[in-house]
Amino acid sequence: AFGDDGLKRSRSRKIYSFKEKLSVVQSYLTSEFSYQELALQVGINNPTMIARWVNEFKIAGPDALRPHKKGRKRTLSESRTSKPDTQGQKPVVDTSVEHVQELEDENLKLRIENAFLKELRRLRLEDEAKTRGFQKSSAVSENHSN
């Protein structure tokens, strides 16, 4: 369909605008063309690119077709010029509502566990004291009966 030029390997990557991508996706969704037929009609030599655009559009809507920066996102704590000295810096603390709620829940659980263990220890000591008291009174009554 592209003639001799279709057989040549293209070294340049064509960048498609948001409007072009959206137009192609809408054409695919409103027609009964296959990816191959639509690619030939629009002049795109890679039908799988159209398939990817359609899948991204179905998952995330039109915003998925907008151009986005490539590469890893920069973290806020890093600087490009020099790495900061880690000594003397305050540690980064997560103050999000979810994280604070998790910490409060864990704190409550640990308080309950601590109170339970203290009560268990108190009861055990009481039981031991009663047992010792019973043994002493038994020993005293045995001595009096002899």
Side-chain angles (χ1 to χ4, degrees):
F2 292 105
D4 290 339
D5 290 337
L7 297 175
K8 291 181 183 174
R9 183 173 177 192
S10 174
R11 299 264 184 227
S12 64
R13 289 182 45 147
K14 180 165 180 358
I15 308 279
Y16 296 95
S17 71
F18 169 72
K19 289 181 181 180
E20 289 174 312
K21 291 177 185 179
L22 189 60
S23 172
V24 170
V25 168
Q26 287 175 341
S27 296
Y28 175 79
L29 294 174
T30 58
S31 69
E32 294 184 9
F33 290 124
S34 68
Y35 295 125
Q36 183 71 41
E37 292 169 335
L38 187 60
L40 290 173
Q41 182 182 2
V42 178
I44 295 175
N45 60 358
N46 187 359
T48 57
M49 189 181 327
I50 297 174
R52 189 180 73 230
W53 292 346
V54 171
N55 287 335
E56 289 173 355
F57 180 84
K58 286 179 180 178
I59 293 169
D63 287 336
L65 302 177
R66 293 195 185 279
H68 50 275
K69 292 182 181 178
K70 295 188 178 193
R72 199 180 286 180
K73 290 183 180 178
R74 232 175 58 174
T75 59
L76 295 176
S77 62
E78 287 183 17
S79 66
R80 286 182 161 225
T81 56
S82 65
K83 293 192 176 191
D85 186 19
T86 56
Q87 295 175 347
Q89 285 187 346
K90 293 181 181 178
V92 178
V93 178
D94 184 5
T95 58
S96 66
V97 175
E98 297 86 14
H99 184 67
V100 170
Q101 185 62 44
E102 285 176 17
L103 291 175
E104 287 176 352
D105 291 345
E106 184 180 5
N107 189 12
L108 178 62
K109 181 184 139 216
L110 292 172
R111 285 177 189 236
I112 291 169
E113 185 179 338
N114 194 20
F116 175 78
L117 293 173
K118 283 182 178 180
E119 182 65 16
L120 186 65
R121 181 171 183 242
R122 186 186 67 77
L123 291 172
R124 191 186 57 178
L125 290 174
E126 271 183 18
D127 192 38
E128 286 177 5
K130 285 180 185 176
T131 306
R132 270 190 249 124
F134 179 73
Q135 288 173 350
K136 283 183 183 178
S137 64
S138 299
V140 170
S141 63
E142 284 180 17
N143 286 341
H144 287 294
S145 62
N146 287 342

